[in-house]
Amino acid sequence: MKAKLIRSSTQLKLGESPVWLNGVLYYVDILGGKIHSYNGSVKTLYSDKIIPFIVPCNDGLVFGTRDSIRHLSLTRMEVETLFTLQLPENVRFNDGKCDKNGFLFAGTMDMNEKMPSGKLYRFGSEEETVLESITISNGTIWDPDIETMYYIDSPTRKIRVFDYDMNKSAIISERKSFDVSSFAGVPDGMTLDSQGNLYVAFYGGNGIIKFNRSGEAVKKIFVGTKNVTSCIFGDDDMKTLYITTASDKINRGGHLYKFRNDIPGIPSDEFKFLHQ
Ligand code: BGC
Ligand code: CA
């Protein structure tokens, strides 16, 4: 099974964080410092030094910078800062996602990708630390039907599985982990379909691997470039898997891909200002 290149997508340094919102795909170029939208053609909505992730909210997007969380109103085209962290110099935000209650879980990483100097935080009315000793925070996603949170620290080549209290938006305990070290590359971003299967992007691994709830690999979607970073379901039937990629050392890759799946995905959850 092969994903199709979206030819009109412009090249990205580090494409990431795809979000499907009201018929439009939004995504970032982390190192290019851009938020883009794609709806048949690409538009650049916002630029900053680096933009590690975006999540939807009621009138636009909440996004990360190196050390802060900001709100971009797409109706007013205005930006406000919601949180600023005192991060060590070599640490930056990386992936971020919201749970069903609208809490933002965003993590940090060592820019040299070596030291466990990152953390996973939860942002509601304030910032709280959820996990420590993380090298590259990635891939947070929830399966509400089995009250589970999945999480990836990329260099560990594991998908961590937590029992999760959906009412309190809190981890109860770590249940197990899936070892994915037999697959090429490192696990990066991931999403879920409506039956609870995980679709995990492998950076350096040329594709997306689908895992069932028991952690068994059930299919591989090949992507025609090495560094596959993340994916999200979209389109009216929620069966198109949109895939982001990053450029490699000799400047190949960094485009969007899509794959028609048999099972629909789940929508991206919004950040809710209620907790503010
Ligand atoms: C990070 C990259 C990193 C990749 C693979 C991405 O989420 O933004 O800097 O190279 O994960 O670990
Ligand atoms: Ca990522």
Side-chain angles (χ1 to χ4, degrees):
M1 281 171 218
K2 252 188 116 195
K4 263 174 71 179
L5 171 70
I6 300 180
R7 292 204 176 273
S8 52
S9 62
T10 47
Q11 195 183 19
L12 310 164
K13 286 186 185 150
L14 179 50
E16 274 276 5
S17 200
V19 163
W20 182 258
L21 188 61
N22 305 324
V24 180
L25 179 75
Y26 296 89
Y27 57 101
V28 301
D29 183 349
I30 300 184
L31 300 179
K34 298 271 186 315
I35 302 177
H36 296 294
S37 67
Y38 174 79
N39 187 6
S41 62
V42 175
K43 260 198 236 153
T44 303
L45 301 176
Y46 190 72
S47 308
D48 210 317
K49 276 193 204 113
I50 63 166
I51 304 186
F53 70 86
I54 45 175
V55 291
C57 68
N58 60 352
D59 73 336
L61 301 166
V62 166
F63 66 96
T65 67
R66 185 188 84 80
D67 61 353
S68 72
I69 309 288
R70 295 183 184 171
H71 168 220
L72 168 64
S73 161
L74 289 175
T75 48
R76 289 175 284 120
M77 283 317 279
E78 277 171 19
V79 172
E80 62 177 326
T81 300
L82 306 176
F83 301 93
T84 304
L85 267 61
Q86 298 299 323
L87 296 178
E89 217 174 284
N90 269 325
V91 173
R92 67 157 169 89
F93 268 113
N94 199 38
D95 208 358
K97 294 258 181 71
C98 292
D99 80 347
K100 281 261 165 288
N101 298 324
F103 282 95
L104 168 65
F105 284 68
T108 54
M109 63 174 272
D110 170 25
M111 291 192 224
N112 298 321
E113 309 195 349
K114 298 228 154 39
M115 304 289 292
S117 45
K119 291 182 184 176
L120 177 69
Y121 302 89
R122 186 185 87 155
F123 297 93
S125 54
E126 56 189 3
E127 134 228 339
E128 291 156 80
T129 301
V130 179
L131 297 171
E132 293 186 279
S133 300
I134 303 297
T135 306
I136 305 178
S137 186
N138 262 320
T140 318
I141 193 81
W142 294 264
D143 185 343
D145 296 343
I146 55 164
E147 303 206 57
T148 293
M149 177 178 124
Y150 298 100
Y151 179 75
I152 289 169
D153 179 0
S154 295
T156 64
R157 300 175 85 187
K158 283 191 178 115
I159 301 169
R160 295 170 72 177
V161 186
F162 297 89
D163 288 320
Y164 190 77
D165 186 329
M166 297 305 294
N167 294 318
K168 294 192 184 139
S169 286
I171 286 172
I172 300 166
S173 58
E174 189 156 2
R175 188 156 84 232
K176 58 182 170 184
S177 63
F178 303 144
D179 182 343
V180 297
S181 60
S182 61
F183 302 100
V186 295
D188 193 336
M190 63 182 160
T191 195
L192 196 81
D193 71 22
S194 59
Q195 297 176 5
N197 299 296
L198 288 169
Y199 296 71
V200 184
F202 277 78
Y203 191 95
N206 290 82
I208 304 274
I209 299 179
K210 174 182 171 185
F211 295 92
N212 64 20
R213 280 182 177 144
S214 313
E216 289 154 2
V218 287
K219 90 175 170 196
K220 176 160 181 178
I221 303 162
F222 288 91
V223 177
T225 191
K226 229 175 138 194
N227 298 330
V228 184
T229 54
S230 195
C231 55
I232 193 79
F233 284 101
D235 287 353
D236 289 347
D237 62 2
M238 291 299 279
K239 282 186 179 175
T240 303
L241 189 66
Y242 285 97
I243 300 163
T244 51
T245 70
S247 303
D248 64 14
K249 289 196 182 96
I250 54 166
N251 220 21
R252 290 174 312 192
H255 290 275
L256 297 176
Y257 287 77
K258 61 180 177 180
F259 175 78
R260 284 294 292 165
N261 203 39
D262 46 349
I263 307 167
I266 54 158
S268 310
D269 284 310
E270 288 187 355
F271 180 75
K272 295 210 176 88
F273 289 90
L274 290 175
H275 309 293
Q276 290 279 335

